[in-house]
Amino acid sequence: MYSITFHHHARQTVLIKDKSAMVTTAAAADIPPALVFNGSSTGVPESIDSILSSKLSNIWLQRQLIKGDAGETLLMDGLTVRLVNLFSSTGFKGLLIELQAGTSNEAANFEAKIADIEAHLSEIQVKDYKTSSDSLTPDSDNYICDLAYQYVRALEF
Amino acid sequence: MVQQLSLFGSINDDDYDLLISTLTTISGNPPLLYNSLCTIWKPNPSYDVENVNSRNQLVEPNRIKLSKELPFAYLIDETMADKPLNFKILKSFTNDEISLDYSMTKNILHDEVPQTNSNNSTTVGKKDGENVKSDVKEGENKDDEADVDMDATSTVSNKSCSSWSLQISDIPAAGNNRSVSMQTIAETIILSSAGENSSITSLMNELGYVFEFQYLTIGVKFFMKHGLILELQKIWQIEENGNSQITNGGFLIKAYINVSRGTDIDRINYTETVLMSLKKELQGYIDLSVPDRQSMDSRVAHGNNVI
């Protein structure tokens, strides 16, 4: 099971196990109002990670923590590019690059742009990289779950 | 982790109207109708999990409570459909009968909710009286279609689950001379899901938990000063072999305040005073008291007959 917290997506945490994903939030502002109104929620949530590492720590054990700090976001050529260096407790894990097409027009050329980038990479003799454009839900669209799944796929060493 | 300070009491069905008008006067707010479906999950008994974690700390297996609101259309039958959806409707629920049945909750837990169940109707705040009414009008039609859907053979669904609140509660604080019940609650919010087998049941199974039992609460609540919330509840256990109302003949009264940080001693003390003054104000009328903490213990090894 993987747990990915996106600080650039309202601190939502996606839990992924096998091919299913669950989106959770620890932000009070993101709780559906109906859940607070009927008393289901106290209005003060915490992250699923802290619940897993406290109340469920007899079932779940955290094996590894990979963290990306101080990343950069660039807008170029119709792409939103996010770059961050990843570290685990044992040291540098690699450079993570997230590429996102902006408008739907730009999305049409997305594949071509990726191919361009890959061509550049092979030009400068970089072969040790992994890309993922997988989707958890081919038929429906859950952006943050797909993104988390791509992170997992790209980071599975 | 939230600290919930609470007091409980009960009244008979006959005293309901008078209590409503008393509380409306005290709180200065009208009663608001609400409902919640609570489902309780326990660690999968087929897994042999130790009660000790990797740091050799004792972790007692706890039940998980998943709860959410339901569209009122699921809860009212034809005879109530034309009544306005306000506190008076609770007087119609005097026995075990409730429209919600086990197969409907099963569909909800497997996210095979009828397509006609628009997410809008479940997520809009029901604080607004008008909202509630328009909800029901839409709901009436849906209810019929819902029945049709339910009969259709269920197929494996990859439908995303809707939002749930996931809570794990500690046993209330011990001590003989406690004036209020104080319970620590850890909570997170499940917003949605995706992928294969993404129903809430599958997700809980993946976490290592299985369904144990469920109950439905319909009630009215008053928002009072100092964050105090007072609820009058009717509770049904929803089981495969029929529903039973636990609060038959009366209402459970719960008065509570949530304190967002357990370390905020000043706030906790203050909150205790607020609850005690409510108790004093209602003295001789309703007896608000501290429940047996054992009955609010959600650990698996203890209190296996919670209800």
Side-chain angles (χ1 to χ4, degrees), chain A residues 1 12 15 17-27 30-48 51-61 136-137 139-140 142 144-146, chain B residues 1-2 32-36 49-55 59 64 67-69 122-124 126-127 163-165 167-168 170 185-197 203 206-207 209 221 223 256 258 260:
Chain A
M1 185 164 76
Q12 292 184 349
L15 275 190
K17 189 167 182 253
D18 300 331
K19 287 201 99 181
S20 29
M22 169 164 105
V23 186
T24 67
T25 184
D30 291 341
I31 309 174
L35 284 183
V36 181
F37 170 68
N38 79 347
S40 293
S41 164
T42 58
V44 192
E46 50 196 288
S47 73
I48 185 86
I51 288 184
L52 287 172
S53 62
S54 58
K55 300 285 175 195
L56 304 181
S57 61
N58 59 329
I59 305 178
W60 296 100
L61 167 69
L136 257 184
T137 46
D139 45 343
S140 69
N142 191 322
I144 196 161
C145 287
D146 286 347
Chain B
M1 286 203 268
V2 181
L32 298 167
L33 191 67
Y34 75 97
N35 72 71
S36 72
V49 180
E50 285 187 40
N51 293 359
V52 184
N53 68 15
S54 58
R55 277 160 286 159
V59 183
I64 291 182
S67 49
K68 74 187 304 14
E69 81 297 337
T122 41
T123 46
V124 282
K126 296 212 167 90
K127 294 183 192 184
S163 48
W164 290 85
S165 151
Q167 293 185 338
I168 301 182
D170 287 355
I185 301 171
E187 173 187 324
T188 192
I189 303 289
I190 301 172
L191 291 173
S192 64
S193 63
E196 294 168 4
N197 305 321
L203 295 172
E206 293 288 348
L207 270 182
Y209 274 74
K221 58 166 64 190
F223 290 96
Y256 68 96
N258 293 327
S260 46

Side-chain angles (χ1 to χ4, degrees), chain A residues 38-40, chain B residues 34-38 65 67-70 72 75 100 215-219 233-234 236:
Chain A
N38 79 347
S40 293
Chain B
Y34 75 97
N35 72 71
S36 72
L37 175 70
C38 294
K65 181 171 103 176
S67 49
K68 74 187 304 14
E69 81 297 337
L70 295 177
F72 265 100
L75 311 177
L100 187 80
Y215 56 93
L216 169 77
T217 306
I218 306 179
Q233 310 176 337
K234 285 261 181 208
W236 288 263

Side-chain angles (χ1 to χ4, degrees), chain B residues 225-269:
Chain B
K225 279 183 203 155
H226 312 292
L228 174 64
I229 298 171
L230 210 148
E231 296 178 349
L232 276 66
Q233 310 176 337
K234 285 261 181 208
I235 304 169
W236 288 263
Q237 192 156 14
I238 310 290
E239 285 180 315
E240 202 162 6
N241 46 14
N243 303 334
S244 56
Q245 190 183 142
I246 299 161
T247 47
N248 239 334
F251 287 82
L252 176 72
I253 302 171
K254 179 183 181 185
Y256 68 96
I257 304 179
N258 293 327
V259 178
S260 46
R261 276 183 305 131
T263 48
D264 195 345
I265 305 294
D266 284 347
R267 185 83 203 158
I268 289 174
N269 289 340

